[in-house]
Amino acid sequence: MSGPAQKRYIRRVAILTALFLAAFALITVIQSDAAEPGWLALAIAILPGLAVIGVFWAIGRLIVEESDEFVRMLTIRQVLVASGLALSAASVWGFLEAASLVAHVDAYWYAVIWFGGLIVGSIINRVQHGAWGAA
């Protein structure tokens, strides 16, 4: 699976991942050096989240641009599995947290669960359809 839409997707995700890593490194430096957070720290803290949003956008573009209907279906299945896992985890943990039964978890971990869900979705695709999918 290396058509034009796949190549654009890989390029987009590579760029956004590099931006995420650079922003995350910058946050680490700013947090250790800054005595008091200001507007610059706020702007820098938003950057990794914007990179993650960019990856979501890249996956959406892949779905729109993919001309192979089977590959598009596999990608959509991956996204649905990932969304179901992440939203289920957020819901269950949120209620457990509200009942003071578990510790607080930072919200960005739900995006991490979502990306892990793409892997689970690709495994499900492989078992059910013999192909991994695209995202």
Side-chain angles (χ1 to χ4, degrees):
M1 292 189 219
S2 61
Q6 293 285 322
K7 290 177 183 174
R8 286 191 297 270
Y9 165 74
I10 290 169
R11 185 173 46 248
R12 289 169 181 154
V13 170
I15 291 168
L16 290 163
T17 300
L19 290 173
F20 172 83
L21 293 172
F24 190 74
L26 190 58
I27 284 176
T28 304
V29 170
I30 294 291
Q31 285 180 343
S32 63
D33 290 345
E36 191 172 317
W39 67 269
L40 181 59
L42 174 66
I44 292 170
I46 291 172
L47 292 177
L50 293 176
V52 171
I53 291 168
V55 174
F56 295 150
W57 168 81
I59 293 170
R61 290 302 314 158
L62 173 62
I63 291 168
V64 169
E65 294 173 357
E66 181 57 63
S67 59
D68 185 320
E69 291 179 13
F70 179 68
V71 174
R72 186 180 321 135
M73 183 268 301
L74 293 175
T75 305
I76 291 169
R77 285 172 51 95
Q78 282 179 266
V79 169
L80 288 172
V81 168
S83 298
L85 285 174
L87 291 172
S88 296
S91 297
V92 170
W93 198 268
F95 285 113
L96 290 171
E97 190 175 321
S100 300
L101 298 172
V102 296
H104 172 72
V105 170
D106 293 327
Y108 61 79
W109 283 105
Y110 299 118
V112 174
I113 293 169
W114 191 87
F115 289 121
L118 290 177
I119 296 168
V120 174
S122 68
I123 293 168
I124 292 170
N125 282 341
R126 179 69 175 173
V127 169
Q128 292 183 343
H129 295 286
W132 293 102

